Amino acid sequence: MASDCEPALNQAEGRNPTLERYLGALREAKNDSEQFAALLLVTKAVKAGDIDAKTRRRIFDAVGFTFPNRLLTSKEAPDGCPDHVLRALGVALLACFCSDPELAAHPQVLNKIPILSTFLTARGDPDDAARRSMIDDTYQCLTAVAGTPRGPRHLIAGGTVSALCQAYLGHGYGFDQALALLVGLLAAAETQCWKEAEPDLLAVLRGLSEDFQKAEDASKFELCQLLPLFLPPTTVPSECLRDLQAGLARILGSKLSSWQRNPALKLAARLAHACGSDWIPAGNSGSKFLALLVNLACVEVRLALEETGTEVKEDVVTACYALMELGIQECTRCEQSLLKEPQKVQLVSVMKEAIGSVIHYLQQVGQEKQKEPFVFASVRILGAWLAEETSSLRKEVCQLLPFLVRYAKTLYEEAEEANDLSQQVATLAISPTTPGPTWPGDALRLLLPGWCHLTVEDGPREILIKEGAPSLLCKYFLQQWELTSPGHDTSVLPDSVEIGLQTCCHIFLNLVVTAPGLIKRDACFTSLMNTLMASLPALVQQQGRLLLAANVATLGLLMARLLSTSPALQGTPASRGFFAAAILFLSQSHVARATPGSDQAVLALSPDYEGIWADLQELWFLGMQAFTGCVPLLPWLAPAALRSRWPQELLQLLGSVSPNSVKPEMVAAYQGVLVELARANRLCREAMRLQAGEETASHYRMAALEQCLAEP
């Protein structure tokens, strides 16, 4: 009776009678041999069909981890059994357990990762069915662990990445599973994978690149999707770049459907972002390939953004934006450009049309979409275009400026979300994690170069002022400046922060010259002036930051002329410290340098200034002019300059070098400062006379200075 009822009961509960019998035998086993035999039967039953979670738990409760642990580490198999049989049984049990996510994350599974990883590369008969089954079970275990929240980290630490690479490169049984698991780990933890197994991953990249270059079938399109994941965060080997470019050239040079072309464009974009144009060979073939890339990208952008009623493939369009950026860089490169002049003209024309489509798209963006990563990517490419070209599409750009100001303000006020957007853009465009140089985390930094050009023009400048851009820029400058202040480690700051500060200074310089009334009436510029005065004394002393110091000094001097009645500029400690630092910047630019075979020295650039004088000289001359203008407006300034001994040392410098070595524009700049100091203060005139000022003025034909010093 009971025997008749038991099958019915098992069936009602959904139990497998055969498995239940084997589990009973396992529970009643009195020694290792009986337990081993029962486990073989249980494993066979499990492999014979699917089991549900409850049954899997019942198997685990009956078996536990102790005996599988012994099986995995056992070095002696029973007589007549191959060495790997015990290990295969242990792995099969773990694979069964790992089907339960909770068990896959169990410490007793995680500590088996190093052992399991060794099975992937173990030698043996490739045709042995039992060995193949063990490899399948091993991949099942590792894949299950990878699917847990902290699983990828444990796998990487356990040496799995290197084992997977070796398994794939060996092309033995299961190598395709190794590649699939590698892809998952790189997508989940790219940086950690490369840190732990860079040589092995590079070996895989070399293999994949070579396969890609040789592929003549549909596999080349599959490789297009895989390869971006295997590009390292550091330098890509040159042989890989060569193979990748050759493969892409063959694909993109053919007539393709969108599903074939889009992965190739995304791979090309990933390479462009990681390597710039270094992966494209010089010469005719390289220039044609680059022109093809940019043309295809522009066509794709126009088709995607101009067609109504179709969903935009944002990942593809964002990749095309990266290729357009590469085109912009090459079209504006004067030396060693890959492109010939006719190609540049043609590409500028097609990029102009594509940028017109981007502007049209952004004009349709509502408030609810402003935080979407694709909008950020679209603003980025527009910013890259405006940094180089503002004369074309001027009407459309002016119409979009109010949106750009509002958009930049929104992201500035929500800085954390803006930074997250930049990461999403990187993900959307080309890679699971941020590739290459860090993408700027705020829209303002993207727009600064373009706004610098636009503030020179009356129409765009008026729109920017009306929309509140100057006030926003002041706040942004002050916020960014905080990152460079004492207490912050400036060595870890990206170069983009300092470049952004310099570009802000250029915009403010434009406003000082073209809209002086704005500087006088807007309170934000008073705060900016206070920051400049407080910051310059320390800045001029810092190595490697001379160009930023030049921007700050020149901007502060020009603003001081407009804000000369401000209480902050009436000889306060801050104002005195600022002007002392400005004098230091202006006075240290040139030195007397001896020349072989001559008794007289020549005027030469100081070592610190020499390497960057091309970027510095305009600021230096403007700073000299601005200082000259400040002297009559600030009565305390001339005595302060005298105490610094700048006028005396300047005359001494001019007296020690050959007048023929001093260019006329330098003579004019020096005379301007000396004349104003002499006019403003009697003690300055006396000090200059004592320094042979009249004689020096005569030698350099400084008529105005000579006349001024002749007066009582």
Side-chain angles (χ1 to χ4, degrees):
M1 182 83 172
S3 60
D4 293 335
C5 292
E6 186 174 344
L9 180 62
N10 286 333
Q11 186 175 7
E13 294 181 358
R15 295 182 179 181
N16 182 328
T18 303
L19 178 61
E20 293 302 317
R21 188 164 61 252
Y22 295 161
L23 286 175
L26 179 63
R27 282 190 292 267
E28 294 171 5
K30 297 182 176 59
N31 53 50
D32 283 355
S33 297
E34 292 181 5
Q35 194 170 25
F36 177 67
L39 278 173
L40 283 175
L41 294 172
V42 168
T43 305
K44 181 178 179 181
V46 169
K47 287 183 177 292
D50 294 332
I51 58 172
D52 57 24
K54 287 184 178 179
T55 305
R56 191 162 45 240
R57 267 290 177 174
R58 294 180 63 247
I59 295 173
F60 172 72
D61 292 339
V63 177
F65 279 116
T66 303
F67 199 65
N69 290 347
R70 291 172 59 194
L71 292 173
L72 289 172
T73 57
S74 176
K75 296 181 180 179
E76 294 183 3
D79 293 340
C81 284
D83 292 341
H84 63 272
V85 167
L86 296 182
R87 294 193 296 273
L89 178 57
V91 176
L93 287 169
L94 280 185
C96 173
F97 298 160
C98 285
S99 300
D100 183 331
E102 185 178 340
L103 291 179
H106 195 284
Q108 287 286 353
V109 172
L110 298 179
N111 65 22
K112 304 299 181 301
I113 289 173
I115 298 174
L116 292 172
S117 297
T118 63
F119 296 164
L120 300 179
T121 55
R123 295 181 179 180
D125 183 359
D127 298 321
D128 186 335
R131 184 175 294 279
R132 289 190 172 200
S133 178
M134 183 178 77
I135 292 174
D136 286 335
D137 289 336
T138 300
Y139 281 118
Q140 184 178 337
C141 291
L142 297 176
T143 301
V145 172
T148 64
R150 303 178 65 140
R153 190 175 73 174
H154 289 291
L155 291 174
I156 294 167
T160 303
V161 176
S162 290
L164 290 170
C165 291
Q166 293 165 26
Y168 173 75
L169 292 170
H171 275 66
Y173 179 77
F175 79 98
D176 53 337
Q177 297 182 71
L179 184 62
L181 188 49
L182 266 178
V183 167
L185 290 177
L186 284 167
E190 179 188 37
T191 302
Q192 292 87 342
C193 286
W194 281 101
K195 183 178 179 181
E196 289 294 327
E198 181 172 348
D200 295 302
L201 285 169
L202 285 176
V204 173
L205 174 62
R206 290 186 182 95
L208 291 174
S209 302
E210 187 175 348
D211 292 345
F212 179 62
Q213 192 271 335
K214 295 178 179 178
E216 298 290 347
D217 55 13
S219 65
K220 60 188 176 184
F221 303 115
E222 298 172 3
L223 286 168
C224 274
Q225 296 176 322
L226 287 178
L227 279 162
L229 291 160
F230 286 89
L231 295 178
T234 53
T235 304
V236 182
S238 58
E239 65 271 23
C240 296
L241 293 177
R242 186 168 54 250
D243 287 341
L244 293 173
Q245 189 276 329
L248 282 171
R250 279 211 314 276
I251 290 176
L252 295 173
S254 307
K255 189 174 181 180
L256 302 171
S257 61
S258 60
W259 73 267
Q260 295 170 321
R261 180 178 60 252
N262 291 346
L265 290 173
K266 292 170 72 173
L267 173 58
R270 177 69 170 86
L271 289 167
H273 191 65
C275 310
S277 61
D278 293 344
W279 61 288
I280 301 175
N284 191 50
S285 63
S287 65
K288 285 184 177 180
F289 175 70
L290 176 56
L292 173 66
L293 271 183
V294 179
N295 273 290
L296 287 173
C298 290
V299 169
E300 190 69 34
V301 168
R302 291 191 64 190
L303 287 174
L305 300 184
E306 291 178 7
E307 287 187 6
T308 56
T310 58
E311 185 178 353
V312 176
K313 295 179 180 177
E314 296 179 350
D315 57 338
V316 177
V317 176
T318 307
C320 290
Y321 286 165
L323 296 175
M324 286 175 61
E325 277 199 56
L326 179 62
I328 292 170
Q329 292 166 9
E330 286 300 314
C331 284
T332 54
R333 181 179 292 181
C334 298
E335 297 180 359
Q336 297 182 331
S337 174
L338 292 171
L339 298 169
K340 300 172 183 176
E341 199 59 36
Q343 290 174 316
K344 291 183 178 181
V345 173
Q346 189 269 331
L347 288 182
V348 168
S349 177
V350 297
M351 286 192 291
K352 174 184 172 182
E353 294 174 350
I355 291 296
S357 300
V358 174
I359 293 174
H360 173 74
Y361 165 76
L362 290 174
Q363 287 171 336
Q364 317 304 315
V365 172
Q367 184 71 30
E368 71 283 357
K369 287 190 174 183
Q370 286 195 13
K371 296 179 183 178
E372 293 185 3
F374 183 65
V375 176
F376 188 92
S378 301
V379 170
R380 175 188 170 90
I381 186 59
L382 178 59
W385 173 264
L386 292 177
E388 305 296 343
E389 173 57 59
T390 57
S391 58
S392 61
L393 300 171
R394 184 175 302 178
K395 179 181 177 182
E396 292 83 352
V397 169
C398 286
Q399 291 174 344
L400 191 65
L401 278 178
F403 164 80
L404 293 177
V405 175
R406 291 193 301 271
Y407 180 77
K409 183 178 181 181
T410 298
L411 265 63
Y412 167 75
E413 291 174 347
E414 302 175 17
E416 290 186 3
E417 288 191 28
N419 187 61
D420 182 59
L421 270 180
S422 71
Q423 304 300 319
Q424 292 182 51
V425 168
T427 303
L428 180 67
I430 36 193
S431 171
T433 55
T434 307
T438 304
W439 290 57
D442 58 79
L444 259 177
R445 194 176 301 162
L446 307 178
L447 296 168
L448 288 177
W451 286 8
C452 187
H453 298 315
L454 292 170
T455 48
V456 177
E457 305 176 27
D458 292 340
R461 182 176 63 252
E462 290 174 4
I463 297 173
L464 288 170
I465 291 174
K466 180 182 177 182
E467 295 296 328
S471 177
L472 174 62
L473 288 169
C474 283
K475 294 176 183 177
Y476 177 77
F477 181 90
L478 296 176
Q479 179 217 50
Q480 294 291 295
W481 191 264
E482 280 296 312
L483 299 176
T484 69
S485 61
H488 292 80
D489 185 2
T490 57
S491 64
V492 300
L493 286 178
D495 292 340
S496 57
V497 172
E498 190 148 319
I499 293 172
L501 289 170
Q502 292 176 22
T503 310
C504 280
C505 287
H506 295 167
I507 296 174
F508 295 141
L509 286 170
N510 290 341
L511 293 175
V512 167
V513 174
T514 60
L518 174 71
I519 308 299
K520 292 179 180 179
R521 69 174 180 267
D522 198 322
C524 71
F525 288 101
T526 301
S527 299
L528 176 61
M529 185 71 213
N530 290 337
T531 297
L532 299 179
M533 290 195 297
S535 305
L536 186 62
L539 184 61
V540 294
Q541 305 290 344
Q542 296 176 18
Q543 289 290 326
R545 307 190 73 191
L546 182 56
L547 192 54
L548 180 59
N551 278 278
V552 170
T554 304
L555 175 60
L557 290 169
L558 284 167
M559 289 180 63
R561 286 196 312 182
L562 299 176
L563 302 174
S564 60
T565 59
S566 168
L569 285 163
Q570 306 311 310
T572 60
S575 62
R576 289 180 181 275
F578 169 79
F579 276 93
I583 288 172
L584 195 64
F585 158 66
L586 296 171
S587 65
Q588 291 187 339
S589 61
H590 290 78
V591 295
R593 183 174 297 167
T595 55
S598 175
D599 295 334
Q600 203 165 17
V602 296
L603 188 70
L605 286 166
S606 301
D608 289 342
Y609 289 67
E610 193 168 14
I612 58 172
W613 186 246
D615 298 318
L616 201 63
Q617 61 177 335
E618 186 177 351
L619 290 168
W620 185 86
F621 280 108
L622 195 55
M624 291 287 285
Q625 182 183 348
F627 186 92
T628 301
C630 287
V631 173
L633 299 174
L634 301 171
W636 60 269
L637 184 53
L642 182 62
R643 285 193 295 274
S644 74
R645 293 193 55 79
W646 184 27
Q648 301 96 309
E649 291 173 356
L650 180 51
L651 287 168
Q652 183 180 0
L653 175 64
L654 291 173
S656 65
V657 301
S658 168
N660 292 332
S661 69
V662 186
K663 296 179 180 179
E665 60 268 26
M666 294 294 300
V667 174
Y670 285 146
Q671 179 176 222
V673 169
L674 292 170
V675 166
E676 286 301 330
L677 290 173
R679 286 175 179 170
N681 186 271
R682 176 181 59 82
L683 295 177
C684 279
R685 291 195 295 276
E686 292 178 359
M688 290 182 195
R689 292 190 191 105
L690 291 173
Q691 197 63 52
E694 292 173 290
E695 182 181 349
T696 301
S698 176
H699 285 161
Y700 285 89
R701 298 179 181 178
M702 296 179 177
L705 179 59
E706 195 172 2
Q707 181 181 352
C708 186
L709 293 180
E711 297 173 359

